[in-house]
Amino acid sequence: GESVGLHLPTLSVQEGDNSIINCAYSNSASDYFIWYKQESGKGPQFIIDIRSNMDKRQGQRVTVLLNKTVKHLSLQIAATQPGDSAVYFCAENRDGQNFVFGPGTRLSVLP
Amino acid sequence: DVKVTQSSRYLVKRTGEKVFLECVQDMDHENMFWYRQDPGLGLRLIYFSYDVKMKEKGDIPEGYSVSREKKERFSLILESASTNQTSMYLCASEGAVEKLFFGSGTQLSVL
């Protein structure tokens, strides 16, 4: 079926290390992807997006990589900080359709 | 910045009660959405609206209805609350650019 999923439900990293959060999607027609961050007790916040005509997009300390061949999306966080602890969602969108969200990965930053 | 405001952060209701969840956005966005968020299931779309007085069913509309009398306000209604509707409810709006902006959420408990 059409779905967006994550390889790992939880991820623990040492403060200062890089984090990589993965996402698989099943619909090759998806052309727009977003990563959201949700801190405890808050709504999801937009982090970064990427369109299917791109392979990579960088923001401040974050990079999103898109591999259309294997339908895989990843979020890389450089120099992970305690404030990065949150649940991270990927979402896919096809033109004219609604977003489909993955279940989320909980990132824990260890001191 | 876009602001999406949900009227209540926490709500406790009894089975059978009629429940109103209110959402207001301040960016004149056309599209508004209601999701519920449950552990391990991610965000699931309940209803959405592309314009005033317009509504469309999402993936899980059963037991819910919505109202969009003004462009900035989108209300979710539980006609007769049940315990399986205990959940986090998230409202979102979307403008010309395909980004969803979320409110902080309403944690509803139905006893």
Side-chain angles (χ1 to χ4, degrees):
Chain A
E2 298 171 349
S3 65
V4 177
L6 292 167
H7 294 304
L8 294 173
T10 60
L11 177 66
S12 296
V13 298
Q14 291 292 137
E15 182 177 353
D17 286 353
N18 296 334
S19 302
I20 300 176
I21 301 171
N22 295 306
C23 179
Y25 64 96
S26 59
N27 194 321
S28 58
S30 294
D31 57 7
Y32 181 54
F33 304 86
I34 297 181
W35 279 101
Y36 284 93
K37 173 186 180 182
Q38 186 175 23
E39 297 175 89
S40 181
K42 297 183 180 179
Q45 295 175 287
F46 172 91
I47 302 174
I48 193 167
D49 59 357
I50 190 168
R51 294 203 175 271
S52 58
N53 60 352
M54 302 173 70
D55 298 322
K56 179 180 179 179
R57 191 161 188 222
Q58 288 185 290
Q60 187 177 10
R61 279 202 309 118
V62 295
T63 300
V64 55
L65 299 177
L66 176 62
N67 185 330
K68 294 180 286 292
T69 301
V70 294
K71 298 200 233 17
H72 184 267
L73 189 71
S74 68
L75 177 70
Q76 300 179 0
I77 304 173
T80 311
Q81 302 169 0
D84 294 327
S85 293
V87 175
Y88 291 82
F89 298 93
C90 61
E92 67 171 316
N93 184 268
R94 301 179 299 283
D95 187 34
Q97 305 295 315
N98 291 317
F99 279 95
V100 175
F101 292 84
T105 292
R106 182 174 299 281
L107 176 64
S108 297
V109 182
L110 307 174
Chain B
D1 284 349
V2 175
K3 189 168 184 180
V4 179
T5 303
Q6 294 184 230
S7 55
S8 303
R9 185 68 186 91
Y10 298 97
L11 274 179
V12 180
K13 297 292 181 181
R14 298 229 174 253
T15 301
E17 281 193 77
K18 190 168 186 176
V19 182
F20 292 87
L21 302 182
E22 305 287 347
C23 176
V24 178
Q25 50 95 2
D26 65 356
M27 285 300 292
D28 201 37
H29 283 172
E30 301 287 340
N31 306 333
M32 296 188 73
F33 303 80
W34 274 105
Y35 293 88
R36 64 177 283 175
Q37 182 179 31
D38 301 288
L41 296 178
L43 275 69
R44 292 181 291 167
L45 182 62
I46 304 171
Y47 265 97
F48 59 102
S49 169
Y50 288 147
D51 203 348
V52 175
K53 296 193 185 296
M54 292 182 66
K55 59 184 179 183
E56 297 286 344
K57 292 180 179 179
D59 299 321
I60 51 165
E62 294 78 19
Y64 304 94
S65 62
V66 289
S67 174
R68 186 122 182 246
E69 295 297 318
K70 294 184 178 180
K71 191 174 186 179
E72 67 269 21
R73 186 180 297 270
F74 192 35
S75 303
L76 180 69
I77 303 158
L78 287 66
E79 294 290 342
S80 177
S82 61
T83 54
N84 63 12
Q85 292 179 309
T86 291
S87 187
M88 169 70 84
Y89 289 88
L90 289 163
C91 174
S93 73
E94 179 185 39
V97 181
E98 296 168 279
K99 290 189 180 70
L100 286 177
F101 296 91
F102 287 89
S104 295
T106 296
Q107 180 62 54
L108 173 66
S109 296
V110 182
L111 306 178

